[in-house]
Amino acid sequence: MVVIVYNDAARLPTAVRSVLAQTLRAVEVVIVDDCSEDDSYAVAQQLAAEHPGQVRAFRLPSNSGGCGAPRNHGIGEARGRYVMFLDSDDELERNACRNLLAAARSTGADLVSGRCVRVHVDSRHGKREDWYPWIYQETRTLESVSELPDLLIFDTLSTNKCYRRDFLLEQNLLFPVGIHYEDLLFSAQAYLAAGRIALIPNRVYFWNVTDRTGAKSISNRRHEIANFAHRMEIHRRIDTLLEQRRLPDLKFHKDVKFLKHDLVLHLRDLPLLDEEYRHRFAELAGSYLAGLDPAAYDEVQPIQAICAYLLVREDWDNLLPAADTLMNRDKISSPLTERDGRVYWCVEHLDDPEGRKVLDVTDADYHGIPLGRMFLRNRLTGYADDGRGTVRLAGSVVNPLRRIGPGSRVRGRLEFRARRRSLQTFHFPLRTLRRHGDFLDWTAEADLARRLRPLGVIDAVWDVRLLLDVDGERLRTRLSVGGLALDQARPLHVRPRLTRLVADRLEPEISRRGHLAFRLAAQGRAAIRAREAVDAAVTGPAGGLVKSAVRRARKAKRMLNSGETKIRAYHRALRVLPVRKGLVVFESHLGKQYSDSPRAIYEEMRRQGVDFAPVWSWTGRQPEGFPTDATLVRRWSWPYLRALAQAEFWIDNQGFPLKLTKRPETTYIQTWHGSALKRMGFDEPRYKLLNRSDQEGYQRVLDRFDHFLIRSEHDVRTLARAYRLGDEVLLRTGYPRNDPLVAARAREEATGVRERGPLAAELGIPEGRQVLLYAPTFRSGPGGRIRAFELPFDVEEFARRFGDRCTLLIRSHYLNHVVLPPSVRGTVLDVTDHHDITPLLTLADGLITDYSSVMFDYALLDRPMVFYVHDWDEYAGVSRGTYFDLLEQAPGPVVRTEEALFAAVAEMKSADTEYAEARRRFVAEYGEYDRGDAARTIVNRFFTPRSGT
């Protein structure tokens, strides 16, 4: 084991003891001191004296300035068959050597690598994170690193590995000397030279990281231009290796990682560095970026590609705001520009085809985000203070696409908020606020000495925000410092409530994400002595007791609100509370909506004057659109659990939390959310593969249903069977949500007039315009992850062909998100946020869908439908499977290509007599119990005896 040390006498013994304590006893320790200026070498010699024959100590004649030279010396002095490296501030896992050696012997590998753990030493909660854990999910042996490019690209550490010493000597593998980031090159050389590589999932190395420290490590001194120059040189050497070995695929993966990681690390600091640094940085980076595979830009986040593109061109006016977005995800830091129906990061460079491609941010949906949800860049343009306690600030808030128009009512105020939650907040009015082209310029004056009264100890850091009210919508912005110098800013005098002996001034600082903040500090001699006394008390025995008590309190609070605690309390305490007669808990789509059949039943109960106590569950940021005449409870909150425990009725369309047992006195009415085309429940492959115990657990969840609504005998053959429901549970009433559809068709047949309803005017759809609704089923990404929904046809081409006569409404599944280009504004509308789909169905003159159960509902209106099943073979055969062949039974044309879809839309007629008989058969088969009275039937059966009046 080669342990290197430089000026780290205090931590060296801990590192060495982690080697001596290994369960594999025959481990030699070679300590190499890089000519330390402290007692490191003396400590090393003492350890060698204490463990003769097992620990040896060496000292380099002069400091090498890096890790390479001492590690190379250690390789030369090592006598074992295998070599590992350990830094003096890190530690080995107790079984590391045994596990790595066992893998090396069993596989014959030249190199064995295990899992590294980053330990945040100064974290209050003992934060630990595995280093690229997906690489080490299982034991595996590689004959070449090309089999797993992520290993070379991401795990560039040399310290979580065991090397066969003869392999290092035969390949002449040494660390570069006189240059930083030596691990990157050494690891790449070792990976490429190894005849066999073994990976083990065991933790082997604890990488101790100190986040709050004055002395930054080499890799964290990114403000030094030499640091970046060294990184570029190392990357060039690795690229040369890959080119010599003719490994273009690995080079491509490395290019992608450079754009996503290496470059980003330095770009984040650019707004805070001077002009000379930026130009030198651009020179170094530009020449390297020119050699990257252009296809790599397609594999990274748009903002990462934008920054690289602008850096090459040294467009600082657009790059520095983009770098702010790198530090602050989702921040809109550019005014943006719209050109030919697309949205671009900036107006410059659009004459360059590459620039037009890279700068296109249409898919980020900046133009579609509601104003109140925008995170806007607010650049601090002015900072001045009077030396006593008043600070004058000025800033400029970006106005993307000029969304805040000339007629908007805009007000604002500054907010000073203690970073710790539940403490104080102070506000100061703006002196000026005016719209200036693509920006909102503002000024403010804050008399902090007189108005801001911190407590003094627990609220040491204060963040500054500008709160804007735009036509009633609230926007919160942080103050990005950028290139504004705060070095000469004077401290501001304040009067803490706990006395000035704790702190007597506020000092401006820049947060880790580049925002303005203020920190309480002590300046006067008495204040400094008092602060030292407080710090001593905090770090002493009494302080330790206080900290321990606080930690216990926080842990207790976390435990109280943990899912495990809530489930246990629900079953042991809440379920023994008496049932409240008339208490009905409603939930739709896991609390995400006020919609569907639960809504229809609730509104029917209100219409009939039923005397009941309604509770609606909600989840998300806030309960938007939920009824104001019901009690609203957040899903999984304590009030939610209590309501479920004491409810006389549960009514939902998907499923209340699976681990909550329903008490016998509670009646569970499961309305469900659609008839089945795709296989469900125990008919799904994933449930068939469950072991017996898990299947029984899932069945207990389904057995909670006292009543299950169905709309046809097809539901009996599919849903009821898939969920193993007895016939006594089934209610052949149809779906309450479909009552309005049945009524709409009846009115249309009686009057010959199609009622559009108020929704058309709300959406701004002109009279006489055909309305089509596109409502696809849920789409997931790899591993079932929720993703933005990618339209399977060219929506701009749709608008070009049909925009003069047709409005297309797009309603993706509520778990998906769709982004529309601004070029289709007014012709194609995203109506996904309309939770209740029934008014949309009633409005639409025709439906375009794929496999969504909305087909069964819309058929009740007897209007045209088109089925766009571009991925039918995958969906029906590979992905999920279906209960019937949609291609044969679809009550409308089935198309698989974009051109066929457009042809079907062009031929779509209001009457659509060609498929009239097919629709009649479809409704008879799949909607026979939808008669228009489902809500009334449910209410009359279960709740009418409770009616008032």
Side-chain angles (χ1 to χ4, degrees):
M1 179 67 63
V2 176
V3 182
I4 63 171
V5 61
Y6 175 69
N7 289 350
D8 198 16
R11 291 182 293 189
L12 177 60
T14 301
V16 172
R17 289 188 186 111
S18 75
V19 183
L20 299 175
Q22 289 291 299
T23 53
L24 180 68
R25 293 299 180 185
V27 181
E28 176 192 52
V29 181
V30 176
I31 305 174
V32 183
D33 173 50
D34 197 10
C35 198
S36 296
E37 299 172 349
D38 68 353
D39 294 331
S40 293
Y41 185 56
V43 172
Q45 289 178 308
Q46 181 179 348
L47 289 168
E50 292 173 356
H51 304 276
Q54 189 174 8
V55 178
R56 293 184 293 145
F58 301 89
R59 178 184 174 90
L60 298 187
S62 61
N63 178 249
S64 68
C67 301
R71 284 178 181 160
N72 291 340
H73 190 85
I75 294 173
E77 296 291 346
R79 297 178 297 199
R81 291 185 59 192
Y82 294 90
V83 177
M84 292 179 63
F85 303 103
L86 174 65
D87 292 346
S88 61
D89 54 348
D90 298 331
E91 298 171 62
L92 287 185
E93 195 277 335
R94 191 165 180 266
N95 298 293
C97 293
R98 179 182 295 278
N99 290 330
L100 289 167
L101 180 62
R105 287 176 171 173
S106 64
T107 63
D110 295 321
L111 184 161
V112 183
S113 188
R115 189 175 296 214
C116 173
V117 181
R118 280 171 59 96
V119 181
H120 295 263
V121 178
D122 50 0
S123 168
R124 283 194 238 167
H125 308 298
K127 179 181 176 183
R128 294 186 172 204
E129 54 186 355
D130 285 347
W131 188 247
Y132 300 116
W134 73 85
I135 297 175
Y136 297 99
Q137 290 181 341
E138 60 184 3
T139 300
R140 61 186 301 182
T141 304
L142 310 174
E143 301 301 324
S144 167
V145 72
S146 297
E147 297 176 28
L148 185 62
D150 280 0
L151 185 60
L152 180 142
I153 304 306
F154 292 100
D155 187 5
T156 56
L157 300 176
S158 64
T159 49
N160 60 331
K161 298 171 177 62
C162 174
Y163 310 86
R164 189 168 57 82
R165 184 168 179 269
D166 286 345
F167 161 68
L168 296 180
L169 298 177
E170 291 163 5
Q171 298 294 328
N172 193 30
L173 288 178
L174 295 171
F175 289 86
V177 178
I179 188 170
H180 302 324
Y181 302 104
E182 57 280 302
D183 265 21
L184 273 69
L185 182 58
F186 179 83
S187 295
Q189 292 172 326
Y191 284 141
L192 294 171
R196 181 172 295 166
I197 301 169
L199 305 179
I200 60 175
N202 311 75
R203 292 178 171 180
V204 300
Y205 195 88
F206 294 117
W207 176 7
N208 294 323
V209 180
T210 303
D211 297 310
R212 295 184 289 273
T213 178
K216 293 290 185 181
S217 66
I218 291 171
S219 60
N220 284 329
R221 297 201 295 265
R222 293 189 288 270
H223 61 285
E224 299 176 4
I225 195 63
N227 185 296
F228 186 65
H230 285 194
R231 186 186 286 270
M232 290 295 91
E233 176 59 25
I234 289 292
H235 275 283
R236 288 189 177 91
R237 295 186 189 184
I238 297 174
D239 290 347
T240 299
L241 274 176
L242 296 175
E243 290 168 5
Q244 290 173 345
R245 292 176 176 269
R246 298 180 181 178
L247 296 169
D249 289 343
L250 284 178
K251 170 66 164 57
F252 175 76
H253 285 289
K254 181 179 169 298
D255 288 349
V256 172
K257 194 244 185 176
F258 180 82
L259 291 174
K260 293 175 67 172
H261 176 73
D262 300 84
L263 185 62
V264 167
L265 287 176
H266 294 267
L267 283 171
R268 288 173 172 173
D269 296 328
L270 277 186
L272 307 176
L273 299 171
D274 59 36
E275 187 173 347
E276 181 182 353
Y277 177 96
R278 293 175 192 164
H279 286 302
R280 180 63 180 139
F281 179 83
E283 289 176 5
L284 291 168
S287 60
Y288 184 78
L289 288 169
L292 262 58
D293 188 333
Y297 285 78
D298 297 331
E299 301 297 320
V300 302
Q301 295 177 12
I303 193 62
Q304 295 166 348
I306 288 170
C307 285
Y309 177 87
L310 295 174
L311 176 62
V312 171
R313 287 147 186 84
E314 290 201 54
D315 182 352
W316 303 110
D317 290 340
N318 290 306
L319 173 57
L320 295 181
D324 195 355
T325 296
L326 276 181
M327 281 194 292
N328 300 277
R329 184 181 176 185
D330 299 328
K331 179 184 282 190
I332 306 175
S333 57
S334 168
L336 309 176
T337 186
E338 185 178 334
R339 182 77 61 85
D340 302 325
R342 307 293 293 177
V343 176
Y344 298 92
W345 185 258
C346 56
V347 70
E348 292 80 11
H349 315 294
L350 297 186
D351 55 342
D352 173 16
E354 182 186 356
R356 202 173 182 91
K357 177 182 178 182
V358 171
L359 298 171
D360 189 332
V361 293
T362 308
D363 291 343
D365 200 23
Y366 290 140
H367 58 286
I369 301 174
L371 197 60
R373 297 182 188 173
M374 285 186 168
F375 180 17
L376 302 181
R377 185 180 195 232
N378 186 354
R379 183 173 64 91
L380 189 66
T381 58
Y383 182 99
D385 63 76
D386 62 1
R388 294 184 299 274
T390 298
V391 62
R392 286 180 288 276
L393 304 175
S396 185
V397 183
V398 69
N399 183 9
L401 299 173
R402 302 197 177 186
R403 293 276 297 273
I404 303 175
S408 299
R409 293 178 291 103
V410 187
R411 296 178 300 169
R413 56 179 177 162
L414 275 184
E415 176 184 82
F416 284 71
R417 178 187 291 269
R419 186 166 293 175
R420 287 194 176 183
R421 291 179 295 179
S422 302
L423 294 177
Q424 303 180 88
T425 302
F426 298 90
H427 294 98
F428 300 88
L430 297 185
R431 296 184 66 185
T432 63
L433 177 61
R434 65 188 184 91
R435 187 175 177 273
H436 179 68
D438 294 325
F439 299 90
L440 295 175
D441 295 337
W442 58 271
T443 62
E445 184 175 286
D447 186 352
L448 301 180
R450 187 172 63 88
R451 294 271 317 277
L452 191 142
R453 295 296 307 279
L455 294 175
V457 176
I458 60 176
D459 52 358
V461 182
W462 291 77
D463 293 312
V464 189
R465 293 176 174 83
L466 175 67
L467 308 184
L468 290 176
D469 185 293
V470 182
D471 295 327
E473 289 192 87
R474 171 70 63 83
L475 286 84
R476 291 179 177 269
T477 70
R478 299 292 301 273
L479 276 57
S480 297
V481 176
L484 195 67
L486 296 179
D487 298 341
Q488 305 303 316
R490 291 172 292 187
L492 302 164
H493 298 287
V494 292
R495 293 179 300 159
R497 298 179 189 274
L498 293 180
T499 175
R500 290 187 181 180
L501 292 179
V502 176
D504 56 5
R505 62 178 179 161
L506 277 175
E507 294 180 344
E509 66 176 25
I510 303 173
S511 74
R512 291 177 62 185
R513 295 187 179 273
H515 298 132
L516 177 66
F518 289 87
R519 181 178 294 274
L520 280 172
Q523 183 179 36
R525 188 173 301 173
I528 292 174
R529 285 199 298 268
R531 187 61 181 240
E532 290 173 349
V534 170
D535 291 341
V538 168
T539 57
L545 291 174
V546 172
K547 286 182 178 179
S548 178
V550 171
R551 282 194 294 267
R552 286 196 301 271
R554 287 176 176 167
K555 182 178 180 180
K557 183 178 180 181
R558 287 195 301 270
M559 289 184 60
L560 180 64
N561 288 291
S562 70
E564 182 180 347
T565 299
K566 287 182 174 180
I567 292 170
R568 187 164 55 247
Y570 171 86
H571 288 99
R572 296 182 181 179
L574 298 179
R575 284 184 78 242
V576 302
L577 296 173
V579 170
R580 288 178 53 195
K581 293 296 183 182
L583 177 59
V584 185
V585 179
F586 296 88
E587 186 170 285
S588 179
H589 294 300
L590 308 179
K592 294 181 175 66
Q593 300 178 357
Y594 172 60
S595 65
D596 213 81
S597 291
R599 173 178 179 170
I601 294 172
Y602 171 77
E603 292 179 350
E604 178 65 23
M605 293 171 73
R606 286 298 190 198
R607 273 191 294 270
Q608 292 196 30
V610 174
D611 182 14
F612 69 120
V615 172
W616 270 93
S617 122
W618 66 277
T619 189
R621 293 183 178 179
Q622 55 186 356
E624 296 178 353
F626 283 80
T628 58
D629 57 353
T631 300
L632 306 184
V633 294
R634 184 189 287 272
R635 202 170 195 264
W636 271 113
S637 66
W638 286 106
Y640 173 79
L641 296 174
R642 177 163 184 161
L644 286 177
Q646 293 191 271
E648 185 179 8
F649 288 92
W650 290 1
I651 300 178
D652 92 311
N653 68 346
Q654 194 157 341
F656 286 107
L658 305 183
K659 294 186 178 181
L660 301 184
T661 305
K662 181 187 72 68
R663 62 196 303 171
E665 305 96 317
T666 301
T667 299
Y668 189 168
I669 303 175
Q670 173 56 255
T671 69
W672 205 238
H673 52 274
S675 296
L677 168 63
K678 53 184 176 284
R679 296 192 178 276
M680 307 290 288
F682 284 105
D683 289 341
E684 289 186 62
R686 59 179 176 141
Y687 286 110
K688 290 180 178 179
L689 295 176
L690 292 178
N691 59 44
R692 182 173 181 179
S693 175
D694 289 340
Q695 286 197 14
E696 290 174 350
Y698 184 49
Q699 186 62 56
R700 283 194 296 272
V701 170
L702 301 173
D703 288 343
R704 297 182 304 174
F705 302 157
D706 295 298
H707 304 285
F708 188 90
L709 273 57
I710 62 171
R711 52 197 306 255
S712 69
E713 289 304 304
H714 167 76
D715 291 350
V716 178
R717 297 188 297 271
T718 56
L719 291 173
R721 188 192 67 182
Y723 292 132
R724 300 176 180 175
L725 304 176
D727 193 70
E728 71 281 358
V729 174
L730 307 181
L731 291 181
R732 291 171 169 80
T733 60
Y735 285 167
R737 74 180 187 194
N738 287 339
D739 291 348
L741 302 179
V742 176
R745 177 181 176 183
R747 286 194 302 271
E748 189 173 330
E749 290 178 343
T751 63
V753 177
R754 179 168 298 173
E755 298 179 4
R756 295 162 64 89
L759 184 57
E762 179 185 331
L763 296 175
I765 301 175
E767 285 289 338
R769 196 175 183 86
Q770 185 183 33
V771 179
L772 298 182
L773 174 65
Y774 176 51
T777 193
F778 170 67
R779 304 284 172 157
S780 63
R785 293 190 299 270
I786 296 173
R787 65 180 184 184
F789 177 62
E790 298 177 6
L791 290 168
F793 60 90
D794 188 340
V795 70
E796 291 180 291
E797 178 63 14
F798 185 99
R800 188 186 68 79
R801 292 197 188 191
F802 307 109
D804 59 338
R805 63 179 178 85
C806 175
T807 295
L808 178 66
L809 309 179
I810 295 183
R811 188 183 191 273
S812 60
H813 190 278
Y814 71 91
L815 290 175
N816 289 139
H817 173 63
V818 67
V819 176
L820 298 176
S823 59
V824 301
R825 189 183 292 121
T827 300
V828 184
L829 307 178
D830 178 15
V831 293
T832 303
D833 286 341
H834 286 255
H835 292 171
D836 194 352
I837 196 174
T838 302
L840 294 170
L841 297 176
T842 305
L843 171 61
D845 298 302
L847 173 71
I848 303 171
T849 189
D850 46 14
Y851 322 108
S852 172
S853 64
V854 73
M855 70 176 77
F856 301 105
D857 304 324
Y858 192 76
L860 297 171
L861 291 165
D862 192 27
R863 297 177 190 171
M865 287 187 278
V866 175
F867 296 85
Y868 183 35
V869 293
H870 60 96
D871 55 353
W872 169 257
D873 293 335
E874 176 189 352
Y875 189 87
V878 180
S879 157
R880 187 86 169 253
T882 61
Y883 284 117
F884 63 89
D885 190 342
L886 179 65
L887 306 186
E888 293 183 0
Q889 298 190 35
V894 179
V895 295
R896 295 200 186 197
T897 67
E898 178 184 274
E899 195 54 43
L901 170 64
F902 291 160
V905 170
E907 297 171 2
M908 186 179 290
K909 300 178 179 62
S910 179
D912 190 25
T913 55
E914 179 181 355
Y915 287 93
E917 179 58 27
R919 285 197 300 276
R920 187 196 64 77
R921 291 196 304 268
F922 198 78
V923 171
E925 177 73 14
Y926 303 111
E928 60 185 302
Y929 301 132
D930 279 321
R931 307 182 188 94
D933 61 352
R936 186 171 65 253
T937 300
I938 296 297
V939 174
N940 288 344
R941 173 167 177 172
F942 296 102
F943 303 103
T944 296
R946 300 185 183 285
S947 60
T949 65

